[in-house]
Amino acid sequence: MADMKVGFYGHVRQYHNLKKEIDAAILEVLESGSYVMGPKGKQFEPELAAYCGTKEAVGVNSGTDALWLAFMALGIGAGDEVITTSNTFFATAEAIWIAGATAVFVDVDPKTCNIDTNLIEAAITPKTKAIVPVHLYGQPAKMREVAAIAKKHKLFVIEDNAQALGARGDDFRLGELSDAMCTSFIIQKNCGCFGDGGATVTNNPDMATRIRQLRNHGSLKRSVHSMGYNSRLDDLHAAVLSVKLKELDKWNDLRRARAKEYDAGLAGTSLTLPTALPGYRHIYHLYVIETDDRDGLQTYLNSKGITALTHYPIAIHQQEGYPWGQSARISGSLEHSERSAARVLSLPMYPEITSEEVKYVIEHICAWDQARAGKASGAGAR
Ligand SMILES: Cc1ncc(COP(=O)(O)O)c(C=O)c1O
């Protein structure tokens, strides 16, 4: 096969495909003279709410802020416990700590790497205030189960949906079964702006108002303040996101199509492939395989011009210095989280990746796998 370079992200391709619309949207903001809390931000919020099927959307500065401002708005803070997982991006736990609460980690279902809902109840104490399921890699956590446990124990549910905008469960939408859902618009995400951005969506108008106040120095009215922060989604980003949101379902379909190609091409290998739950719309923000020789495969692919990255190679509770004086608790064993951290490898996946590029990645993985199997059988014969 001829040599190629297959990058991990398609940001620039995506920009080129939408250049006319994006350039026009950016120019409109520049000419408006209104860059923060201006018309484009006001336009984008209801568009996002409509896309998510929620009453409200509040744009903020990042996915991390979306989470901790949601906690703050719900009164979650010092002395409270929040249950989540450890094999997520660091910000999930960080947001809990910024709010002043205790992060409580439970293990994941090894098939999906999402929270194992059978383990949640054992982690609940009188201090528990909320559950934060993460829809890791683009596949929804089992929200019906999460919501039932939350209802039984009178807990809040805040979805960390930085990775699955546009995904769905078998009989639920994301954002439907929780108090709030938080997303990130950093460019690596499936709906990314050209910098930092995030949003909280909710069906609770009081909570939305509270976050609007918190994100703007505690102010809902000019010159009238209570304690708050500065965490607003700029109009430039909002304008770009308005353009991109219209493309998101199509992009997610393309991700799903490329994932099918990976599934078919890698089916006979020794790799563990992603599991899509029946009836779920997994949108493959990341296409993550597992192998015992993750580092070997990553090095091999890189040597062939293919960028493969790890999400996430160190579980939060295994990071050096954990928990850095923060309040944290581990409930039961986190063996599946730790095992996934040691084995995961994300293959190039974005709407703009071509089938030829996917084929190139598959061919190299198959060659690596066969060579590995050959080595193993040779060793066994000796
Ligand atoms: C699961 C998860 N939660 C939270 C975040 C935080 O988002 P941001 O980087 O926009 O703060 C991210 C992404 O970066 C993420 O992947």
Side-chain angles (χ1 to χ4, degrees):
M1 71 199 103
D3 284 353
M4 282 173 117
K5 282 237 173 287
V6 186
F8 196 76
Y9 297 115
H11 308 156
V12 180
R13 283 186 198 175
Q14 185 176 87
Y15 169 56
H16 288 161
N17 290 344
L18 277 178
K19 188 170 172 17
K20 214 169 120 212
E21 293 86 337
I22 287 176
D23 287 358
I26 289 175
L27 271 180
E28 198 183 326
V29 177
L30 295 184
E31 292 293 349
S32 76
S34 187
Y35 308 134
V36 183
M37 308 274 282
K40 286 294 177 185
K42 290 197 180 90
Q43 177 192 320
F44 176 64
E45 288 186 346
E47 288 172 356
L48 180 65
Y51 181 82
C52 296
T54 55
K55 286 186 187 154
E56 297 273 0
V58 186
V60 295
N61 198 253
S62 67
T64 310
D65 286 7
L67 283 165
W68 76 268
L69 290 174
F71 300 149
M72 294 280 290
L74 291 169
I76 297 168
D80 298 332
E81 291 188 352
V82 178
I83 295 172
T84 191
T85 44
S86 179
N87 62 330
T88 169
F89 183 60
F90 190 71
T92 311
E94 197 176 32
I96 296 170
W97 286 318
I98 294 170
T102 299
V104 177
F105 298 111
V106 301
D107 210 359
V108 292
D109 174 341
K111 285 213 166 75
T112 61
C113 291
N114 279 333
I115 194 163
D116 184 340
T117 51
N118 297 312
L119 303 177
I120 295 175
E121 284 199 280
I124 295 173
T125 71
K127 291 180 176 173
T128 308
K129 273 281 163 58
I131 307 169
V132 178
V134 182
H135 308 308
L136 202 70
Y137 305 148
Q139 173 152 248
K142 290 185 177 166
M143 286 302 297
R144 287 257 171 235
E145 283 88 333
V146 172
I149 296 166
K151 190 169 174 207
K152 182 171 157 197
H153 295 273
K154 298 190 171 50
L155 305 176
F156 294 119
V157 179
I158 298 101
E159 296 170 68
D160 181 338
N161 191 15
Q163 302 195 359
L165 203 58
R168 275 194 306 275
D170 48 356
D171 65 351
F172 61 88
R173 294 181 73 150
L174 295 185
E176 180 189 346
L177 300 173
S178 63
D179 297 281
M181 175 170 91
C182 302
T183 196
S184 164
F185 298 124
I186 193 164
I187 186 68
Q188 296 95 304
K189 302 306 183 212
N190 66 330
C191 188
C193 60
F194 296 127
D196 277 311
T200 301
V201 303
T202 177
N203 285 313
N204 177 345
D206 292 340
M207 184 179 180
T209 303
R210 181 78 185 116
I211 297 175
R212 287 202 170 93
Q213 190 176 19
L214 286 170
R215 74 171 173 186
N216 188 34
H217 306 289
S219 175
L220 290 168
K221 195 174 164 200
R222 190 172 166 75
S223 303
V224 180
H225 297 268
S226 64
M227 184 56 199
Y229 309 88
N230 180 353
S231 180
R232 301 164 300 214
L233 180 68
D234 298 341
D235 272 42
L236 277 172
H237 295 315
V240 169
L241 288 167
S242 280
V243 173
K244 289 196 174 189
L245 193 61
K246 294 192 192 91
E247 308 294 319
L248 188 56
D249 286 341
K250 188 179 81 194
W251 288 339
N252 285 340
D253 285 342
L254 285 166
R255 287 174 182 275
R256 286 165 58 80
R258 298 293 89 84
K260 259 195 179 163
E261 291 169 12
Y262 274 132
D263 285 348
L266 299 173
T269 65
S270 67
L271 307 186
T272 304
L273 304 184
T275 301
L277 294 175
Y280 278 50
R281 178 175 159 81
H282 186 334
I283 55 88
Y284 298 94
H285 162 61
L286 294 166
Y287 187 92
V288 180
I289 59 91
E290 291 193 26
T291 171
D292 290 339
D293 188 13
R294 183 265 310 284
D295 295 347
L297 178 57
Q298 185 176 24
T299 305
Y300 176 83
L301 291 177
N302 288 346
S303 78
K304 300 295 175 192
I306 298 162
T307 309
L309 300 177
T310 47
H311 301 84
Y312 297 90
I314 309 173
I316 295 172
H317 70 285
Q318 293 186 307
Q319 295 278 357
E320 201 175 330
Y322 163 85
W324 316 275
Q326 305 302 315
S327 184
R329 186 162 68 75
I330 291 169
S331 176
S333 144
L334 300 184
E335 65 175 306
H336 297 306
S337 307
E338 292 174 5
R339 186 173 148 83
S340 106
R343 289 166 46 90
V344 284
L345 187 65
S346 311
L347 305 182
M349 168 56 80
Y350 40 94
E352 300 77 18
I353 194 169
T354 64
S355 293
E356 288 65 39
E357 288 168 324
V358 168
K359 195 163 163 240
Y360 180 79
V361 179
I362 291 169
E363 282 174 0
H364 276 298
I365 292 178
C366 290
W368 173 84
D369 198 50
Q370 274 162 18
R372 193 165 163 254
K375 260 191 229 155
S377 65
R382 252 177 261 135

